Amino acid sequence: MLNLTVKNKVVVITGASSGIGEATAKLLAKNGAQVMLGARREERLQKITQEIIDDGGQAAYRTVDVRDLGQVQNLVEDAIQKFGHLDVIFNNAGIMPNSPLSELKVQEWYDTIDINLKGVLNGIAAVLPTFTSQKSGQVIATSSVAGLKSFTDGAIYGATKWGVRDLMEVLHMESAQEGTNIRTATIYPSATKSELLDHISDQRVHADMVKHYNEAELTSEDVAKVVQFAIDQPEDVNISELTVYPTGEK
């Protein structure tokens, strides 16, 4: 049976070419949502979109670099033109090139901030005019357990995820004050099977993270189900935060 709340909702997803974004797009489309996929890798987007369509779902895509507000705005506009309206944006794009601060991988710091934090800001900026005008909509963002507690070697990644946490909470508070009925949900996954580890250039940190992930790891599909759960709530119910761990994680 189709999920009646998710069915027919139009959802924009960034970071949709792999991992949590890909899994969420496929799950939501399977349950009747209309999904607009955004990421930088067009070949991957084409493949995933076609897989969704072949499975009976409704999907489209646009290449996007979330660091560029104009590109994110075009992604949102394409979703509205293609499907007629907009209900949800899932700001999911992110990277995790962890390293000790003393290594001074400054360009990696800036890239992480631009994608993980500025990218979420651009997603919010792209949908706020529509959501404010229609007095409805939902903004979901992928933070991390690193947005709830601190980890060595992850200062910049954690800073962006703490920033997302505050940003999303204030968005909810201001929407309530302004009466625009915008729902928000911040997802805090623990270690999740994805391409995040591929961004770590520090060999020692990479080895440590691989070991940690091998000990306790969520699947992208696990997190996708949590995203769907947040969308599936009644319009007058807002679940602000959802923390996701493997049951056996210590």
Side-chain angles (χ1 to χ4, degrees):
M1 179 180 294
L2 290 177
N3 186 308
L4 297 180
T5 304
V6 170
K7 184 181 179 183
N8 296 325
K9 283 200 170 180
V10 177
V11 184
V12 169
I13 301 171
T14 66
S17 62
S18 65
I20 293 170
E22 175 184 355
T24 301
K26 289 179 174 178
L27 178 64
L28 296 181
K30 183 177 181 179
N31 284 314
Q34 300 162 313
V35 294
M36 173 63 73
L37 285 66
R40 288 179 286 184
R41 295 178 292 180
E42 184 167 15
E43 185 175 322
R44 285 288 303 159
L45 291 174
Q46 286 178 333
K47 180 176 183 294
I48 295 164
T49 300
Q50 192 59 53
E51 287 173 352
I52 291 171
I53 293 171
D54 290 345
D55 196 38
Q58 298 184 68
Y61 77 88
R62 183 186 180 99
T63 57
V64 61
D65 185 335
V66 297
R67 295 172 291 188
D68 186 312
L69 174 58
Q71 292 188 34
V72 183
Q73 289 173 325
N74 289 337
L75 176 70
V76 168
E77 289 168 4
D78 278 5
I80 295 171
Q81 290 178 5
K82 172 72 174 177
F83 299 117
H85 64 285
L86 180 64
D87 299 290
V88 182
I89 186 168
F90 179 27
N91 291 309
N92 170 69
I95 60 173
M96 190 182 68
N98 285 358
S99 64
L101 288 169
S102 58
E103 291 293 327
L104 294 177
K105 293 180 180 286
V106 176
Q107 189 57 54
E108 290 185 358
W109 299 355
Y110 296 160
D111 290 341
T112 304
I113 292 167
D114 284 348
I115 294 173
N116 292 9
L117 185 55
K118 184 179 175 182
V120 174
L121 283 165
N122 285 341
I124 292 171
V127 299
L128 268 186
T130 297
F131 287 176
T132 299
S133 175
Q134 67 192 23
K135 293 190 181 299
S136 67
Q138 186 174 24
V139 179
I140 302 174
T142 303
S143 180
S144 166
V145 293
L148 299 172
K149 54 186 178 181
S150 301
F151 297 91
T152 57
D153 303 322
I156 310 306
Y157 179 75
T160 63
K161 296 305 186 178
W162 280 85
V164 168
R165 179 188 186 189
D166 183 74
L167 173 63
M168 291 290 287
E169 181 60 21
V170 173
L171 174 62
H172 171 245
M173 293 166 64
E174 291 183 353
S175 173
Q177 288 178 346
E178 296 165 4
T180 51
N181 305 312
I182 298 170
R183 298 194 295 159
T184 65
T186 308
I187 314 297
Y188 303 94
S190 182
T192 305
K193 185 176 180 59
S194 69
E195 297 179 354
L196 279 182
L197 299 187
D198 297 344
H199 303 130
I200 301 175
S201 61
D202 185 289
Q203 293 184 0
R204 193 269 304 167
V205 174
H206 182 269
D208 288 347
M209 293 296 291
V210 168
K211 183 176 183 294
H212 171 64
Y213 272 54
N214 287 339
E215 290 172 350
E217 185 178 61
L218 295 164
T219 68
S220 296
E221 288 74 19
D222 293 330
V223 182
K225 292 173 186 175
V226 175
V227 177
Q228 178 172 269
F229 174 78
I231 296 173
D232 192 39
Q233 302 311 301
E235 292 297 322
D236 60 349
V237 173
N238 189 87
I239 299 180
S240 295
E241 298 184 316
L242 291 152
T243 306
V244 194
Y245 287 97
T247 300
E249 182 169 341
K250 298 177 182 178

